[in-house]
Amino acid sequence: SAAGNPLTPGQRRNDTQSVLAGGHLDGELLFYAAMVDDIEDLRERTANRALALAKEGAMAAEHERQVKAFADLEHQAVLHLQRAMRKHPYAPWVKQTLGVGEKQGARLLAAIGDPYWNAAEGRPRRGPAELWAYCGYAPGQKRQKGVKANWNAEAKMRAHLIAESCIKQARSPYRPVYDVARVSWADRDTSDMHKHNHALRRVAKEVLKDLWRFGRDLEESA
């Protein structure tokens, strides 16, 4: 397919790793998302070690330089990820959706793959509910001790973080979703945190539904 257009069903790859809708742009987004993950992890672990050593008065200055070096690498990787996002077919949705942002939008897409396409079965997802289930937001999907989750934990985390970001923006289209969900549970005998998490879940599902719709429209306009 042409750059920027989704692949037709016959052209799509069918494997266990989710594939996005932009051909070579998919690999670029996935590469830089993975790089950000790796460097972020190294930076955080290095910072924790530096903090522990600083408490003991050991090599504080040297470890601070190491933490800064990883932070600089992470910044550069994020810039590459953002540039990759701007070239991606889903860039218009990310750009127009206040509260998402290029970095978070790219990391969610890297975790999901094409929101409209079920890569494992080589077909379009039948609706938003199928994407919700993939991301762990279907009814009854709960973590059970000793049982492997039947959803993509990374995708669920990324959707949750975007929901948190969106509700901090008064003009985000998802802030009203959060407010309505909180009101609907106002009289329930449960904690404020439980009500907050319920509302965040509603926001995350709305974000995923809109992503699915955007992918469907891309497919239909190809």
Side-chain angles (χ1 to χ4, degrees):
S1 63
N5 289 330
L7 304 177
T8 63
Q11 292 173 309
R12 292 183 185 269
R13 289 174 52 194
N14 180 18
D15 55 31
T16 56
Q17 293 184 340
S18 296
V19 178
L20 310 182
H24 71 282
L25 300 178
D26 308 345
E28 188 176 0
L29 193 76
L30 290 166
F31 176 80
Y32 287 117
M35 181 181 290
V36 170
D37 288 346
D38 291 343
I39 299 174
E40 181 182 78
D41 180 61
L42 281 170
R43 191 256 307 157
E44 289 176 349
R45 286 192 284 126
T46 303
N48 289 335
R49 291 194 191 103
L51 181 61
L53 287 169
K55 290 179 179 178
E56 299 174 3
M59 296 179 63
E62 176 60 27
H63 284 88
E64 285 179 7
R65 284 192 290 270
Q66 291 175 5
V67 172
K68 184 181 184 305
F70 279 122
D72 291 342
L73 282 174
E74 183 180 356
H75 175 68
Q76 291 301 315
V78 168
L79 291 178
H80 284 298
L81 179 61
Q82 290 171 326
R83 293 187 189 109
M85 183 70 254
R86 290 169 202 156
K87 294 184 288 184
H88 197 270
Y90 279 76
W93 182 85
V94 170
K95 184 177 180 179
Q96 73 190 16
T97 309
L98 185 65
V100 176
E102 292 172 338
K103 178 183 175 182
Q104 290 198 114
R107 295 177 95 174
L108 176 61
L109 286 168
I112 292 175
D114 183 346
Y116 181 69
W117 189 255
N118 185 324
E121 298 185 15
R123 59 167 176 78
R125 288 190 168 101
R126 298 186 180 93
E130 198 171 321
L131 180 58
W132 292 341
Y134 180 78
C135 297
Y137 284 104
Q141 282 184 304
K142 294 182 179 179
R143 182 76 66 181
Q144 298 180 36
K145 187 176 180 180
V147 179
K148 185 178 179 180
N150 63 343
W151 64 84
N152 184 321
E154 177 74 10
K156 184 172 186 177
M157 178 187 71
R158 295 296 168 198
H160 179 84
L161 290 174
I162 284 178
E164 287 186 324
S165 178
C166 286
I167 68 169
K168 295 174 183 177
Q169 302 287 338
R171 295 185 295 108
S172 169
Y174 301 110
R175 177 68 209 201
V177 175
Y178 176 85
D179 293 337
V180 169
R182 284 300 300 257
V183 169
S184 70
W185 272 37
D187 296 330
R188 293 212 178 192
D189 184 19
T190 187
S191 68
D192 284 342
M193 182 56 69
H194 195 178
K195 294 174 184 178
H196 170 70
N197 288 334
H198 160 74
L200 275 180
R201 181 183 177 89
R202 291 282 295 274
V203 171
K205 290 178 70 173
E206 197 69 16
V207 168
L208 293 170
K209 180 172 70 175
D210 288 345
L211 266 175
W212 179 89
R213 286 174 170 172
F214 188 86
R216 177 198 59 192
D217 293 345
L218 276 177
E219 186 78 10
E220 292 176 352
S221 65

